[in-house]
């Protein structure tokens, strides 16, 4: 994990030590009327940080609608799944644009920067998922983004919206600020662990579904290619996250340890244990060939 924090600046969403300080120049101990609120809000409407905030709000809203309609309508849920991915993509583009402005073009477009910067990693993931969303929906894929967006929205709201909200007393604003600070401090670490677990679950889900690629090769060649690309990219993504995130590494190592313990418990037939060992070795060798 890098030292970037989960705050209201356009910083990487995956590096998320809680920032509970108020960065706004307006104290929560002030009250405003609606006209003053609009005057104070207007300068912020043109800042990259505000559009970044709107992108995260849109991520949460579209994800909620997608999850709701996933029980009733495939067409509607798929539409809002795309909208959620578009919102996610927009937040990363804003972050990377800010990074680009503060660095030179050579260092920004350096291959090492692409592989080491988690903003590029998550942007590439969301872009591919959006491009294939007409053919394949990644079950559970939005959950980590929902977690990250929740904390970003809370911090931006606390630092920049809450201090200028009308119809609230200073005491009420302080109470809300303290509640948000408590929530972020309490659940920040757990949210990173949860996100890592969800990403490992997506990997497991893709691995379980990978044999379908053979079926698709015979029945729907294009869908087979899409599944192969999605699997390869996510494996590469998880390799980078394993190397860079202690949460991903801990979750993945713990999952493999439990699986190894189960396979070696004596309750599994020997031929399955041998098949598992051979498959694990082949997968490890294959992942090692990924050039980063």
């Amino acid at each position: 994990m890098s030292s970037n924090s989960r705050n209201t600046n356009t910083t990487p969403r995956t590096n998320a030590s809680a920032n509970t300080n108020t960065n706004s120049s307006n104290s929560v101990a002030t009250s405003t009327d609606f006209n003053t609120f609009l005057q104070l809000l207007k300068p912020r409407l043109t800042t990259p940080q505000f559009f970044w905030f709107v992108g995260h709000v849109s991520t949460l809203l579209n994800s909620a609608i997608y999850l709701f309609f996933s029980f009733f309508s495939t067409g509607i849920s798929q539409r809002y799944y795309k909208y959620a991915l578009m919102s996610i993509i927009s937040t990363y583009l804003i972050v990377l644009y800010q990074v680009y402005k503060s660095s030179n073009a050579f260092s920004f477009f350096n291959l090492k920067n692409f592989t080491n910067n988690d903003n590029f990693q998550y942007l590439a993931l969301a872009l591919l998922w959006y491009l294939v969303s007409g053919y394949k929906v990644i079950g559970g894929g939005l959950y980590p983004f929902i977690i990250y967006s929740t904390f970003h929205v809370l911090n931006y709201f606390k630092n920049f919206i809450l201090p200028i909200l009308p119809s609230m007393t200073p005491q009420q604003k302080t109470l809300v600020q303290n509640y948000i600070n408590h929530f972020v401090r309490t659940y920040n670490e757990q949210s990173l662990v949860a996100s890592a677990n969800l990403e490992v679950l997506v990997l497991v889900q893709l691995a379980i579904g990978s044999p379908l690629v053979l079926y698709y090769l015979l029945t729907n060649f294009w869908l087979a290619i899409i599944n192969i690309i999605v699997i390869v990219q996510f494996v590469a993504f998880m390799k980078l996250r394993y190397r860079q995130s202690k949460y991903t590494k801990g979750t993945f190592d713990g999952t493999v340890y439990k699986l190894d313990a189960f396979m070696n418990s004596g309750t599994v037939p020997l031929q399955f244990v041998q098949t598992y060992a051979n498959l694990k070795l082949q997968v490890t060798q294959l992942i090692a060939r990924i050039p980063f």
Side-chain angles (χ1 to χ4, degrees):
M1 299 291 287
S2 69
S3 59
N4 295 308
S5 61
R6 182 184 271 151
N7 55 33
T8 53
N9 296 319
T10 50
T11 52
R13 73 179 69 209
T14 54
N15 303 316
S17 59
N19 178 5
T20 57
N21 296 321
T22 302
N23 296 328
S24 171
S25 59
N26 298 283
S27 169
V28 294
T30 60
S31 59
T32 58
D33 57 32
F34 188 72
N35 289 332
T36 304
F37 168 73
L38 292 179
Q39 292 174 2
L40 293 172
L41 181 64
K42 187 175 180 180
R44 294 172 184 164
L45 298 181
T46 57
T47 63
Q49 288 83 0
F50 181 78
F51 287 104
W52 175 80
F53 166 72
V54 171
H56 286 299
V57 172
S58 179
T59 296
L60 295 177
L61 291 176
N62 285 301
S63 296
I65 297 173
Y66 155 71
L67 292 172
F68 176 78
F69 279 104
S70 63
F71 296 101
F72 309 106
S73 172
T74 301
I76 296 177
S77 66
Q78 191 173 39
R79 183 190 314 158
Y80 283 95
Y81 174 78
K82 290 182 178 181
Y83 292 161
L85 287 172
M86 289 173 62
S87 302
I88 292 165
I89 290 167
S90 71
T91 63
Y92 282 113
L93 289 176
I94 292 170
V95 171
L96 291 171
Y97 176 69
Q98 294 294 94
V99 174
Y100 173 76
K101 288 201 307 181
S102 62
S103 61
N104 62 69
F106 177 79
S107 62
F108 181 80
F109 291 107
N110 186 281
L111 179 61
K112 187 176 181 180
N113 188 35
F114 284 122
T115 57
N116 290 339
N117 189 319
D118 50 10
N119 290 297
F120 281 117
Q121 297 164 19
Y122 280 91
L123 174 61
L125 198 67
L127 276 172
L128 179 64
W129 288 0
Y130 175 77
L131 291 174
V132 305
S133 59
Y135 302 90
K136 183 178 181 65
V137 172
I138 312 301
L142 293 181
Y143 293 145
F145 295 109
I146 292 172
I147 292 174
Y148 301 140
S149 288
T150 298
F151 281 84
H152 285 312
V153 167
L154 285 174
N155 271 314
Y156 187 95
F157 173 80
K158 178 196 69 175
N159 293 331
F160 294 97
I161 305 297
L162 177 63
I164 61 174
L165 275 181
S167 304
M168 288 186 69
T169 66
Q171 292 77 14
Q172 290 172 327
K173 292 181 180 181
T174 300
L175 183 65
V176 173
Q177 183 194 49
N178 291 339
Y179 176 80
I180 294 174
N181 285 340
H182 174 75
F183 179 86
V184 172
R185 281 196 302 264
T186 303
Y187 296 107
N188 181 73
E189 192 81 6
Q190 292 95 317
S191 74
L192 294 173
V193 174
S195 298
N197 276 275
L198 289 166
E199 289 168 359
V200 170
L201 284 176
V202 172
L203 180 64
V204 172
Q205 172 189 287
L206 292 175
I208 292 174
S210 60
L212 287 174
V213 172
L214 299 176
Y215 171 75
Y216 292 142
L217 284 172
L218 300 175
T219 60
N220 191 330
F221 182 77
W222 178 239
L223 187 57
I225 296 300
I226 288 175
N227 276 272
I228 291 172
I229 293 173
V230 168
I231 292 171
V232 170
Q233 190 212 30
F234 198 77
V235 169
F237 167 82
M238 288 300 292
K239 180 178 180 179
L240 290 171
R241 299 309 305 144
Y242 181 87
R243 189 179 69 188
Q244 297 171 3
S245 169
K246 66 179 182 180
Y247 303 101
T248 302
K249 186 178 187 303
T251 300
F252 188 83
D253 288 347
T255 302
V256 173
Y257 176 81
K258 291 176 183 177
L259 188 56
D260 286 346
F262 172 73
M263 297 301 294
N264 296 317
S265 63
T267 61
V268 181
L270 183 59
Q271 60 267 33
F272 287 106
V273 175
Q274 292 174 339
T275 300
Y276 166 76
N278 292 333
L279 182 61
K280 180 181 176 182
L281 178 61
Q282 293 172 5
V283 170
T284 302
Q285 292 173 342
L286 184 63
I287 293 175
R289 295 178 182 176
I290 299 176
F292 45 75

